[in-house]
Amino acid sequence: MPTLRDLPSIDTLLHGSGELEAQYGHERTVAALRAAVDEARAAVRDGAAVPAAEALVAQAAAGLHAESEPTLRPVINATGVIIHTNLGRAPLSDDALDAIRAVGGGYSTLEYDLEPGTRGKRDRHAERLLAEVTGAEAAMVVNNNAAGVLLALSALVQGREAIISRGQLVEIGGAFRIPDVMAQSGAIMVEVGATNRTRLRDYEAALTERTAAIVQAHPSNYRIVGFTESVPLPDLVALAHAHDLIVIEDVGSGALIDPALFGLASEPLVQDSLAAGADLVLFSGDKLLGGPQAGLIAGRSDLIARLKQHPLARAVRADKLCLAGLVATLEHYRRGDALDCIPVWRMIALPLETIRTRADAWAAAIPGEIVPAESTVGGGSLPGETLPTWAFAPRVDQPNAAAARLRQHTPPVIARVAQDRLLLDPRTVFPEQDALVLDALKALA
Ligand SMILES: *Cc1c(COP(=O)(O)O)cnc(C)c1O
């Protein structure tokens, strides 16, 4: 019978751990050895054999190595969710990455005007381009869309009333709830209508001399179906403008290209909202726009000017890396190569045959089968909408355990388990990552 007394002491193990001590220091090494011995002690009590000293040192080394990995690191997204909020939303285009590298690795004209050699404005870099591609009179960039909504309500509605439909009191996730943001901004929220139906006369009846705005929030991540009614934007605009009020629309995803081109439902397009007369349209930079995290605000120049003068503007301003990446992303829309160059759109537009060819190549290297499945756009856009795809289902005994092992691989591969099968969707895996995916799958065997 193995006994606990046969377990080596920490001192004994330290003799074989010189390299670990040199790399990680005495205290961390001792702690890791102790953790390995504690684990072995529990296993021995349950009847396991006493592990060799080398095995315990190896386990401590693995633990030390794992805990010194950065917590923020690249992963391979094989989930088929294109804008995966937990996996960092939109991957950037090559041009955006080049621009970030060029600006981030040195000095730049962030707030410098080359000709006179004096102080310039950081505002000028992205805003003209943003106005151009959306058709807006003016534009502004902040840190994220939540900040944009907070700023707009604070600057334009604070202390006055904003009317919003009960069907739009959404929670986006990450603790962003429209009613809470309204409260934080000091705007007084006036809810109208019912969850499923709101009519123009509901808004009309709520107008008072304290009303400052009508707010529209796109219920990005859910859909109410059945007996529903909402007011078309042009009608809201007509009502608001007849009373000298403004319409602020939070469209969320910020699509400039209609997903309906690819068999999905339509998302509200920023340029359509502006053309319909919305006074300010707010959206994210890192959802369907496919750029860096940012809050983009497009609309009337007098309103944008008021936002810029508000004290919060400084607290929510975008940094130089964001601006560099954003300008390069917006250039794709201006040039008309967004579908080819912006990863989010390239993945949405990926032909089914191309996905099938990739899945076939995986299946040629690893035992398993190819199954029809569904990719989703994600990022709180297009709820319930899917794109047909071909997923690879490697032959594994325990799909959940295999998925966990893929996550432990370097680099981690994030797959999903559905219908008791491990599924990997080529749509969200970059072609240059195929070899890494196969390595990770081979390591499962
Ligand atoms: C995603 C979303 C937000 C939050 O945007 P962030 O850029 O994540 O701050 C706000 N409103 C709507 C409607 C959204 O879809």
Side-chain angles (χ1 to χ4, degrees), residues 86-395:
N86 301 144
L87 303 184
R89 287 197 184 159
L92 299 178
S93 74
D94 289 337
D95 282 7
L97 292 173
D98 289 347
I100 287 172
R101 195 175 159 79
V103 163
Y107 300 100
S108 65
T109 54
L110 180 65
E111 293 184 358
Y112 191 74
D113 216 337
L114 284 174
E115 218 201 303
T118 53
R119 187 186 169 145
K121 290 194 151 174
R122 75 168 61 207
D123 296 354
R124 71 201 157 106
H125 307 297
E127 293 172 6
R128 219 178 30 214
L129 194 51
L130 182 56
E132 185 181 333
V133 298
T134 57
E137 202 172 270
M140 178 175 185
V141 181
V142 295
N143 190 34
N144 58 16
N145 190 24
V149 176
L150 179 64
L151 174 62
L153 293 173
S154 302
L156 305 176
V157 191
Q158 195 164 66
R160 299 172 68 199
E161 294 176 355
I163 306 175
I164 184 165
S165 160
R166 290 199 170 87
Q168 299 177 359
L169 298 177
V170 298
E171 172 176 318
I172 306 302
F176 179 91
R177 286 180 167 175
I178 291 285
D180 296 346
V181 176
M182 285 229 181
Q184 186 63 42
S185 73
I188 299 155
M189 182 173 77
V190 178
E191 305 170 26
V192 296
T195 307
N196 56 332
R197 306 194 83 184
T198 304
R199 299 181 188 80
L200 192 61
R201 63 171 181 271
D202 296 323
Y203 288 92
E204 229 166 342
L207 294 172
T208 71
E209 73 282 4
R210 292 175 304 277
T211 310
I214 293 179
V215 173
Q216 282 267 91
H218 181 50
S220 313
N221 49 10
Y222 71 97
R223 182 158 295 159
I224 299 177
V225 294
F227 188 58
T228 65
E229 185 173 338
S230 59
V231 182
L233 186 59
D235 298 353
L236 276 187
V237 167
L239 177 69
H241 290 179
H243 292 84
D244 264 340
L245 303 172
I246 55 170
V247 172
I248 301 173
E249 188 180 26
D250 171 11
V251 289
S253 297
L256 297 179
I257 297 173
D258 194 353
L261 291 173
F262 305 97
L264 295 159
S266 284
E267 277 278 306
L269 300 189
V270 175
Q271 56 275 42
D272 289 355
S273 290
L274 288 163
D279 298 284
L280 279 187
V281 179
L282 298 97
F283 52 104
S284 295
D286 54 349
K287 292 182 178 171
L288 279 172
L289 192 88
Q293 178 189 306
L296 309 182
I297 309 172
R300 258 168 56 187
S301 55
D302 60 324
L303 300 179
I304 298 277
R306 283 170 64 190
L307 301 199
K308 288 189 174 178
Q309 279 153 16
H310 193 274
L312 257 185
R314 176 63 171 78
V316 299
R317 76 178 184 185
D319 83 305
K320 62 185 177 183
L321 303 184
C322 162
L323 292 172
L326 182 63
V327 168
T329 305
L330 292 171
E331 282 288 356
H332 290 303
Y333 289 96
R334 194 166 65 117
R335 281 201 303 269
D337 60 13
L339 288 179
D340 296 321
C341 298
I342 295 179
V344 164
W345 283 100
R346 211 168 50 214
M347 288 172 183
I348 289 174
L350 208 58
L352 201 50
E353 313 85 78
T354 310
I355 298 177
R356 175 77 201 213
T357 308
R358 302 259 310 281
D360 281 341
W362 295 1
I366 307 282
E369 53 181 334
I370 292 166
V371 295
E374 274 152 1
S375 316
T376 55
V377 175
S381 56
L382 301 163
E385 293 278 318
T386 58
L387 290 161
T389 191
W390 291 107
F392 176 56
R395 196 174 305 139

